[in-house]
Amino acid sequence: MRPPPALGDLRAPHFILHTSPTGLPPLSTPTISQRTSHGTTGAVLPGPRTTRALCYQGPALPGPPTTRAPHYQDPVLPGPHTTRTLHYQGPALPEPHTTRAPHYQDPALPGPRTTRAPHYQGPALPGPRTTRAPHYQGPALPEPHTTRALHYQGPPLPGPRTTRAPHYQGPVLPGPHTTRAPYYQSPVLPGPCTTRAPHYQGPNTTRAPYYQSPVLLGPCTTRAPYYQGPVLPEPCATRALHYQSPALPGPRTTRAPHYQDPALPGPHTTRAPYYQDPTLPEPHTTRALHYQGPTLPEPHTTRALHYQGPALPGPRTTRAPHYQDPALPGPHTTRAPYYQDPALPGPRTTRAPYYQGPVLPGPRTTRAPTLPGPHTTSAERFSPPDYFPAMAEVLSEAVGFEQPKVELHVHLDGAIRVQTILDVAKRRGVPLPADTVEGMTQIIIVQEPATLTEFLGKFAEYMHVIAGDREAIKRIAYEFVEDKAKEGVVYVEVRYSPHFLANTQVEPIPWDQEEGDVSPDDVVRLVNEGLKEGEKAFNVQARSILCCMRHMPNWSMTVVELCKKYRREGVVAIDLAGDESLNTDAQSGHRLAYEEAVLSGIHRTVHAGEVGPPSVVKEAVEVLKAERIGHGYRTLEDPALYKQLLDQKMHFEVCPISSKFTGACDPDFTKHPVIRFREDKANYSLNTDDPLIFNSTLNLDYLTAQQHMGFTQEEFQRLNICAAESCFLPEEEKKALLTKLYEAYGMQKSTGF
Ligand SMILES: O=c1[nH]cnc2c1ncn2[C@H]1C[C@H](O)[C@@H](CO)O1
C-alpha cells in the first residue's frame, strides 16, 4: 500500500495556498485557487458531500457525487455509496458498506465483513474470516483459527497447532504442542520428545543446546550439553562427558572422572581417577591413585605410591614413600625420603643432595650441599634437570633478580603452604596420608617431569582439605600475599577456579566433598578479603583472575558473571585453565562466557599452547579474544602465528619450572622457548604457576633463567616492565606501577619493548 502523501506532496503545482503574512498557514480555512496547467482558475465544486479532490484524476466514480477530498479520514461517513479516496489503490472492495479510507485505523468498525485498514495493528479480531496480517507471507494457513499477525509476540495461543513463533523457520514439527519459539529456554518441558532447540541439528536428543537444567525427566533424554562422544548404548548409558557423580545407578556406570576409555572390560571396572592404563587384568584391578611403577607380580601386591602405613607383612613390601627404584637389593630397603640416586655407595647412607632434615646417625650420611667434608655435594655440581624438585630451598639463598617483580601467572590453589593444609586438615578432622610438612610435600610435589594430566591430578591430594572451608580460603589468599612479598613481588595477579573451592552451587561438587554452604560466589568474596588484608599487611598489590576450567564449560557463564560482579573488588580478568588436551567444543560455554567478557569489558587470558598445539593458541586469540596467553610455548611451531603475535605484542605468561614438570617443554632448559622469546624481544613475563606442586619459588624461576638460559639483569628488568605493561590494572594504576618499576630500576621511562 502506498503511504499517505506528505504534506508537501499535497501542494501540487496546480495550487497556491494563500498563507498569512507571517508565512505560517492561516488558522482559518485557506482560500484555494485552482489553476489549471493552462493557468485557468477552477470553481469550488458544488453540492453536498461532493468535495472532489482538487486533483482527482481517477476514473469516474459511480453514483451521486460522492468523492471526498484526498486524505479525508473522517470515519463517520453516513450512508451507502460513500467515499473512495483519491489515492486508494487497495483491492476491489465488495459492496456495500465496505469502503474505508486507506489509513483508517478505528478498530470499532461494526458488523461482519469489515475489512480492516492495511496497517491495522489493534487487538485480535474476533470471529471467523478475520483479516490476515497485511504483510503475512507464510504458507497458507488452514482454517480456522489460524491467522495471526506476522509479528505476534503475545503469550502462547491456546489450541492445537496454532502458535508459531514469530520468526520460526524450522522444519515442520510433528505432533501437537511441538512448536517452541526460537530461544525458548524454559527448563520445565513436559513429556518426552518435546523441545527441539532452534539450532539443533543432531538426532533425537531432546534438549536445547544450552539447556542446563539438572532435572531431566524420563529415560534416554539426558545428554550433557556439548556431549559429542560416541553413541552410548541405552538405557542408563548416557552420561555427560564430565559427569562425576559417584551415585550413578545401574551396572557399568561409574567411570572415574576424566575417564575416557570406553573399552573397559567387565563389570566393576571403576578405575582410579586419572588411571589411564586399560591393560590391567580383571578383576580387582584398581591400582593406587598415581601408581606408575612396573607391573607388580601376584595379586594383591599393589601398594600405593605414597603408602606410609604400618609395616606390611612379607618380604620386600614396604617401600619408602616415593621409592621408584625397583632394583634395590634385600629386604628393608627403605631409603631416605628424597633419595633418587641409586648410584651412591654404601648401605643406608644416601641422602638426597639437598636433604635438610634432622641429622641422621652414622657416617657419611646427611650432608647439606654446601657443607664441608667428605662426600658433600655443592649445589653447582647438580644439574637442575636432575634435582629441581629439591633445589628450591637450597638455592633460595642465591637470588636471580633482586629488584621488584611483577607476577601475572600463578594459581592460588597451586600456591598454598603445606603447613596450612596440615593445619586445616587437623582442624576439620580430614585424614591425610602424611602429617608432617616434609611428608606431605613429597606427596604433593611432582618429582619428575610428567604430563599435564598427571600434574593436574596432584590437586586432588589436598584440595578437599581447603575447599568449602571459609577460614581456609581466606587464609590461603592472605598467606599468598605474604609469600609474594617475601619474593620481592610488588604486583601480582593470582588466579583460581571459584568452583574448585566451593561445595555448593557447583555441579558436580568437586573433590568428593559433601555438599556444604560455600558457593563459588562466597569463594570469590573470601579470596577478595584475604587478598585485601594481605595487601595492607605486606605492601603488595594483589588482583585476581577467575578461571573457567576446560572440562567444565557449563561453569563458565557463572565465572564471567562473578568477574563482572566483583570487578570493583579486585577481580580483573577471566582465564581458561585445565587440561588443554581435552577437546572442548568451539560452541561451548567458554566461548559464550568470553563473548560476555568482551561485551562487559572484562580482561581475558587463556591457557593455550602449553601442551596443546598452536591451533589452541589461535583459537584463544581469534575466538576467545585473549589479550594474554598462558604459557603459549607451542606457538613457535606455527611461524606465521608466532609472527602475528609478536607483531601485535601479545603477552606470553611463561612459567619455566612449571613447563618442565608438566612435560610442556623439553626438560633441558637450554632449549626452552623463552630463549627464543627473549631473542625476539617478545612481550613475556616469568612466573611460578604452581609453586606448591613444583616445590619452587619465583626466585627459582629467575635463577633457572639466569643459570641455564643466560638471562641478564637487563632482560629481567625488561620482562618485568613488559609484565607491568600487560597487566590488567586500569590505565592509571598501571602507569603508577610502571613508574615504581622505572624508579626501582633507575631507568628512564620508556616501554619495555
Ligand atoms: O599449568 C597449568 N595448566 C593448566 N591448568 C592449570 C595449570 N596449573 C593449574 N591449573 C589448573 C588447576 C587449578 O585447580 C586450576 C585453577 O587454578 O587451574
Side-chain angles (χ1 to χ4, degrees), residues 78 100 137 179 242 277 321 473 514 629 668:
R100 293 284 167 187
Q137 298 185 357
T179 316
H242 304 298
D277 179 351
I473 293 167
E514 297 283 309
I629 296 293
D668 180 351

Side-chain angles (χ1 to χ4, degrees), residues 270-316:
T270 311
R271 302 276 171 164
Y274 312 112
Y275 178 78
Q276 297 193 354
D277 179 351
T279 60
L280 289 179
E282 293 292 347
H284 313 294
T285 56
T286 311
R287 299 269 170 166
L289 196 59
H290 301 298
Y291 181 77
Q292 296 183 0
T295 305
L296 296 170
E298 320 149 25
H300 314 295
T301 58
T302 315
R303 298 280 167 199
L305 184 61
H306 304 301
Y307 180 80
Q308 299 194 347
L312 297 170
R316 274 167 276 152

Side-chain angles (χ1 to χ4, degrees), residues 190-443:
C193 317
T194 54
T195 318
R196 297 232 180 228
H199 305 302
Y200 179 72
Q201 300 188 351
N204 301 334
T205 59
T206 320
R207 292 291 163 189
Y210 304 117
Y211 180 79
Q212 298 188 2
S213 167
V215 287
L216 295 177
L217 315 172
C220 318
T221 57
T222 317
R223 297 259 176 205
Y226 317 116
Y227 179 79
Q228 297 191 348
V231 176
L232 297 169
E234 297 293 351
C236 314
T238 315
R239 294 289 163 190
L241 188 59
H242 304 298
Y243 183 80
Q244 299 191 2
S245 166
L248 293 178
R252 273 169 276 152
T253 56
T254 313
R255 300 275 173 189
H258 312 301
Y259 178 77
Q260 298 191 359
D261 180 351
L264 285 183
H268 315 296
T269 55
T270 311
R271 302 276 171 164
Y274 312 112
Y275 178 78
Q276 297 193 354
D277 179 351
T279 60
L280 289 179
E282 293 292 347
H284 313 294
T285 56
T286 311
R287 299 269 170 166
L289 196 59
H290 301 298
Y291 181 77
Q292 296 183 0
T295 305
L296 296 170
E298 320 149 25
H300 314 295
T301 58
T302 315
R303 298 280 167 199
L305 184 61
H306 304 301
Y307 180 80
Q308 299 194 347
L312 297 170
R316 274 167 276 152
T317 55
T318 313
R319 298 279 173 184
H322 314 299
Y323 175 77
Q324 296 190 358
D325 180 350
L328 287 180
H332 315 295
T333 55
T334 310
R335 299 276 171 160
Y338 301 98
Y339 176 77
Q340 293 188 356
D341 181 351
L344 292 175
R348 274 166 273 140
T349 58
T350 315
R351 296 284 164 182
Y354 304 111
Y355 181 78
Q356 298 191 343
V359 175
L360 296 170
R364 282 169 283 131
T365 55
T366 314
R367 297 286 174 193
T370 54
L371 292 179
H375 310 286
T376 61
T377 313
S378 76
E380 295 81 353
R381 282 187 45 208
F382 291 89
S383 74
D386 293 334
Y387 294 105
F388 248 97
M391 271 184 72
E393 292 168 47
V394 174
L395 292 184
S396 62
E397 286 172 22
V399 180
F401 181 54
E402 266 180 308
Q403 295 179 312
K405 291 179 275 296
V406 170
E407 187 172 14
L408 300 181
H409 189 124
V410 52
H411 293 256
L412 179 62
D413 52 337
I416 303 171
R417 294 179 186 168
V418 177
Q419 184 62 56
T420 301
I421 295 168
L422 291 172
D423 291 350
V424 177
K426 194 167 171 192
R427 170 169 59 75
R428 299 180 77 189
V430 179
L432 284 176
D435 58 5
T436 61
V437 167
E438 186 179 86
M440 224 21 228
T441 301
Q442 291 309 309
I443 288 165

